[in-house]
Amino acid sequence: MGIEEERLAEFFDAYAAALRAFDAEATARLWGLPGMVVTDDFAGALESRADMAAGLSSSYPLYRRLGLESAVPEIRAVSALTELISTVRVRWSYLDASDEVIVKTDYEYLVRDDADGLHVYLAVGIDEAEALQRAAAARGIGLGPA
């Protein structure tokens, strides 16, 4: 059976709320430890909540420059690996203050149902770097330091 999709939707809504608030500590609490992020350009495991929060917040300056005001998760696929572990494909829509889409990007997550709730243990960024580059170019924003 695996993790119920309704619980996963609530979990990713909470994740989106933390992202909208640029609250790296709240987002980090949604991760299990160690947590691993893998993209075409990066692979790393984070062992503490402080390291996780620092890693998550490293994207915030670019998100702010792009005008991110909202993040909307859309669960695209769920695969139950066990009763407590599922993979979840999420398409994120990042919106500006006018609710216009800045960028859409896909992530694949490994989520486990722990005694204290759901936690992400692995996030694989499918296309975020390319999508953010396109969005920055479309908005005339350089990708260097703010």
Side-chain angles (χ1 to χ4, degrees):
M1 180 175 156
I3 304 168
E4 296 170 354
E5 193 163 334
E6 182 179 324
R7 287 187 66 215
L8 291 165
E10 290 170 1
F11 175 80
F12 283 103
D13 285 344
Y15 200 106
L19 179 57
R20 279 190 296 273
F22 295 103
D23 187 343
E25 288 79 19
T27 307
R29 286 191 296 274
L30 299 172
W31 280 74
L33 296 174
M36 186 164 192
V37 176
V38 179
T39 68
D40 286 344
D41 301 323
F42 175 82
L46 301 164
E47 302 278 338
S48 73
R49 298 261 182 250
D51 289 345
M52 182 63 69
L56 292 165
S57 67
S58 68
S59 298
Y60 293 173
L62 176 57
Y63 292 164
R64 284 187 171 106
R65 290 196 332 258
L66 287 171
L68 186 141
E69 289 287 330
S70 183
V72 179
E74 175 192 352
I75 294 178
R76 308 280 291 186
V78 176
S79 179
L81 302 179
T82 72
E83 287 296 312
L84 300 177
I85 301 171
S86 294
T87 59
V88 184
R89 172 72 63 107
V90 176
R91 172 156 300 152
W92 289 98
S93 295
Y94 298 159
L95 308 175
D96 63 17
S98 300
D99 285 335
E100 296 293 324
V101 174
I102 298 168
V103 68
K104 290 187 179 196
T105 182
D106 289 354
Y107 265 84
E108 187 86 19
Y109 296 94
L110 183 79
V111 178
R112 186 170 78 179
D113 191 0
D114 293 326
D116 60 342
L118 301 180
H119 294 99
V120 171
Y121 281 86
L122 170 67
V124 179
I126 307 299
D127 60 354
E128 185 177 50
E130 298 86 4
L132 290 173
Q133 287 174 356
R134 286 191 306 274
R139 291 178 176 245
I141 297 168
L143 291 178

